[in-house]
Amino acid sequence: APLPGYQIRITDQHNQLLSENRIGRVQMRGHAITPGYLFNEPANAEAFVGDDWFNSGDLGFLRNGQLVITGREKETIRVRGTDFYCHEIETVVNEIEGVLAS
């Protein structure tokens, strides 16, 4: 569930709300969400979809107010300006003791 001060919603590709248990785009807003990408207006236009909603790039659904992540819209995740392929992150996570490989 979102922390206090945050909201999460799931939308379709046109940013229309989806009902619970339907997979769509994970969007969030709150006081500590990034204010945007520095000097990158095209990225800001893609990431911010109105009313301060930030499109995370993740896919998922809500069930009883709980977020379930099911995948990514794109094959890369950007961390501090560096792109990582999802399979690279999954490989590292799968090596953590107690994590079952999917």
Side-chain angles (χ1 to χ4, degrees):
L3 295 171
Y6 295 90
Q7 294 175 296
I8 297 175
R9 70 180 186 180
I10 307 297
T11 70
D12 65 15
Q13 65 272 23
H14 304 291
N15 299 315
Q16 300 300 307
L17 286 177
L18 296 177
S19 58
E20 278 207 346
N21 300 312
R22 295 212 32 220
I23 295 174
R25 303 168 92 192
V26 176
Q27 296 178 350
M28 60 192 77
R29 67 180 175 183
H31 62 277
I33 300 295
T34 181
Y37 298 99
L38 187 62
F39 308 123
N40 194 340
E41 285 309 311
N44 287 327
E46 182 179 338
F48 292 92
V49 296
D51 293 327
D52 295 327
W53 286 103
F54 176 73
N55 184 36
S56 70
D58 296 309
L59 298 173
F61 63 91
L62 291 172
R63 178 176 290 151
N64 299 321
Q66 302 288 313
L67 175 63
V68 179
I69 300 290
T70 61
R72 296 273 306 158
E73 282 189 286
K74 298 178 181 176
E75 291 299 316
T76 58
I77 298 173
R78 178 163 286 200
V79 178
R80 294 187 185 102
T82 302
D83 287 334
F84 295 93
Y85 285 97
C86 296
H87 68 271
E88 294 173 331
I89 295 171
E90 290 170 0
T91 298
V92 172
V93 170
N94 285 337
E95 294 176 1
I96 297 172
E97 185 177 334
V99 172
L100 299 175
S102 59

